[in-house]
Amino acid sequence: MFINDVEQCQWIRQKFETPGVMQFSSEEKRTLLARLVRSMRFEDFLARKWSSEKRFGLEGCEVMIPALKTIIDKSSEMGIENVILGMPHRGRLNVLANVIRKDLEQIFCQFDPKLEAADEGSGDVKYHLGMYHERINRVTNRNITLSLVANPSHLEAVDPVVQGKTKAEQFYRGDAQGKKVMSILVHGDAAFAGQGVVYETFHLSDLPSYTTNGTVHVVVNNQIGFTTDPRMARSSPYPTDVARVVNAPIFHVNADDPEAVIYVCSVAAEWRNTFNKDVVVDLVCYRRRGHNEMDEPMFTQPLMYKQIHRQVPVLKKYADKLIAEGTVTLQEFEEEIAKYDRICEEAYGRSKDKKILHIKHWLDSPWPGFFNVDGEPKSMTCPATGIPEDVLTHIGEVASSVPLKDFKIHTGLSRILRGRADMIKNRTVDWALAEYMAFGSLLKEGIHVRLSGQDVERGTFSHRHHVLHDQEVDRRTCVPMNHLWPDQAPYTVCNSSLSEYGVLGFELGYAMASPNALVLWEAQFGDFHNTAQCIIDQFISTGQAKWVRHNGIVLLLPHGMEGMGPEHSSARPERFLQMSNDDSDAYPVFTEDFEVSQLYDCNWIVVNCSTPANYFHVLRRQVLLPFRKPLIIFTPKSLLRHPEAKSSFDQMVSGASFQRVIPEDGAAAQTPEQVRRLIFCTGKVYYDLVKERSSQGLEEQVAITRLEQISPFPFDLIKQEAEKYPGAELVWCQEEHKNMGYYDYISPRFMTILSRARPIWYVGRDPAAAPATGNRNTHLVSLKKFLDTAFNLQAFEGKTF
Ligand SMILES: Cc1ncc(C[n+]2csc(CCOP(=O)(O)OP(=O)(O)O)c2C)c(N)n1
Ligand SMILES: [Mg+2]
């Protein structure tokens, strides 16, 4: 570790080199002993009661409990009121019980296999669940809120999520310096060294809109510590070098020396709360048992484990020391043990009465007032998303202006702003303006909007320009969106580091903190989301089912086949659709609130808007809905500047709303019984189809209907459209290859809604391995080929389905 700040180096030197700094009072020693008793006896208790259950015990690193408690005590003393924790499996139950202070019976009853789940969702194993608790810190006598964020098995994936939640809590409290809210991340040594997301998370701490103003990291390093014999150290399966991962001070400390651990943790907390920078405490320890309690470590590490079995537990060593020096008596020590064992036994007795498990009791981020007392949405309706015309005009005017005086913008940008002003005069919007109006109108209503991702301030396609840069004054910038109304909510737009996994996790955590915000992550191109696949699979798609926490994060994924090669083309819609939980084979009951209740039941919403107005409405709907669901939007590239892809104010004013399906409204819709073919499509290919239809003069024979909300599938509207054209052949047309895109998702749903009486023919590119060709000519030839098929009214003649 390298620190190039003299003051900081001196600070560390003074903390460790001053003679006698590690003196503890008897009171402090007794507290430390009591905390070690709890840590050790908790594991012993679980081992006694459930000897064949996995619990990923802390044995060998029992000192982690007093270590975390010291960090919290010291931070509370220095003004911290809210601590957000993330940690893996090892010792998690112990942390819940003895650091966060979850009721013991709530933990114990989780071991009961007969317990019935009472909430919606599929739940999760006990060592993944989160927790939120407000309590008095006994050492400082101040209030403190502790939360542990729920996480999947995927080690370290929760790190950026914790940081995002921490940042949001700081933001909402106006705690820009991190003086009130902080995070603690606990890591296993192998995962810490091996998982790249650790590095991505550390890297965020240097960026203004992402920094949590320092985090205390604790590494449970159970691989290198026990032995100095290099042969034994090598028998560990994962190479570990904690120091190589980060650029932050790392304090290595022997976990068998509890007083040293406590001292180091106190210094680490002081460091964080003095310099507001990251710090790592490396608890060098050993693991007394196997990876989990069912493992036999002697199979693979015989010599090391022979030594480990000879090791005296830290509690006994420390108790012996305190007894020998006269700080406690043997009797006091034994009473302390008996007292905690009694607490466990009593809780165990109570836990047996519990028949029902409420996952809701394990929420890491409560949203007070958002749901009703039973945790249900307050209504099953969505308020109208259209807004008054004067609001549209006002936002449009700000979007076309430079709100600061003497601020010189680039001439190219002046042209863009003039173009915007012209559109506003003509009561029209393009994509960028529609987005502006969605964000601006939400800000007016007090909703915080945060847009994060690579180059989002300007926009990858240079269409957004949410941050203006003075051409003459270095680093002078202006965000017009923050100059809309004096009492508006703040707008944050921030260029992220070049990370997807870390940044998407961060924004997901940010969105977790409050339902009253629109938090968006934009991929540079939709393709790159797969680098963050773990966040998508483990948190976004499944989070509500596992942990009952809603999340309204929005993913903006630029998508479209434009001859740009196999990358920069596909956001992989097929993957999101495959993970959607709406049933393809169930014929729905069309209740009055079908549209909203379908959204309530789904795990996420997948849309591909073909007009700026629809993009505007879906962004607003996201916040106006009485619940939160992740929203995946495939966003355009060439359509950003397509002359036809514009919307009129008429489609956005009060009374207008999001259209899940945009039906054909041209000539074909006037005489539907004469229509020979009804093409369903989604996204940009619509504009190719309309152009081709017009060039072939088929406006009366072929209708084109757009699916804008793909999932949950608008069964009701698709049924209406299909029935409107009784004599038409039904075709699904997509520009993606057949094994990609939407076809596999929509096809069984069409069959269900058509009661298998009419086929839905496929028109699009052939199946392929890569999402797009690297050859421009091949791209154009395949486009022409499928457009020809789309309008060849004989193409399916005589074919059976
Ligand atoms: C991303 C990921 N890869 C693999 C695993 C499987 N796995 C579970 S625990 C573990 C070892 C973890 O070692 P370490 O981080 O040192 O923690 P320890 O169990 O020693 O406390 C592995 C590889 C996982 N959970 N997550
Ligand atoms: Mg380890």
Side-chain angles (χ1 to χ4, degrees), residues 215-278:
T215 295
V216 180
H217 298 262
V218 177
V219 180
V220 176
N221 190 345
N222 51 17
Q223 287 189 22
I224 58 170
F226 179 69
T227 175
T228 48
D229 181 339
R231 282 168 309 153
M232 293 179 198
R234 270 205 307 273
S235 69
S236 146
Y238 306 109
T240 301
D241 184 352
V242 167
R244 239 182 270 160
V245 182
V246 291
N247 187 18
I250 302 178
F251 303 141
H252 304 279
V253 57
N254 181 354
D256 249 13
D257 182 347
E259 289 181 6
V261 169
I262 295 312
Y263 182 71
V264 164
C265 285
S266 164
V267 171
E270 209 181 326
W271 165 277
R272 188 276 168 193
N273 291 303
T274 303
F275 298 109
N276 288 106
K277 289 173 99 64
D278 282 327

Side-chain angles (χ1 to χ4, degrees), residues 58 64 68 71 84-91 95 148 151 155-156 158-159 162 183-189 191-192 215-220 281 283:
L58 202 47
M64 183 173 90
L68 291 177
I71 295 166
I84 299 157
L85 284 110
M87 72 174 297
H89 50 286
R90 177 122 359 256
V95 168
L148 176 65
N151 60 243
L155 294 166
E156 308 290 347
V158 81
D159 299 359
V162 168
S183 55
I184 301 176
L185 288 174
V186 182
H187 314 265
D189 56 293
F192 187 75
T215 295
V216 180
H217 298 262
V218 177
V219 180
V220 176
V281 176
L283 291 179

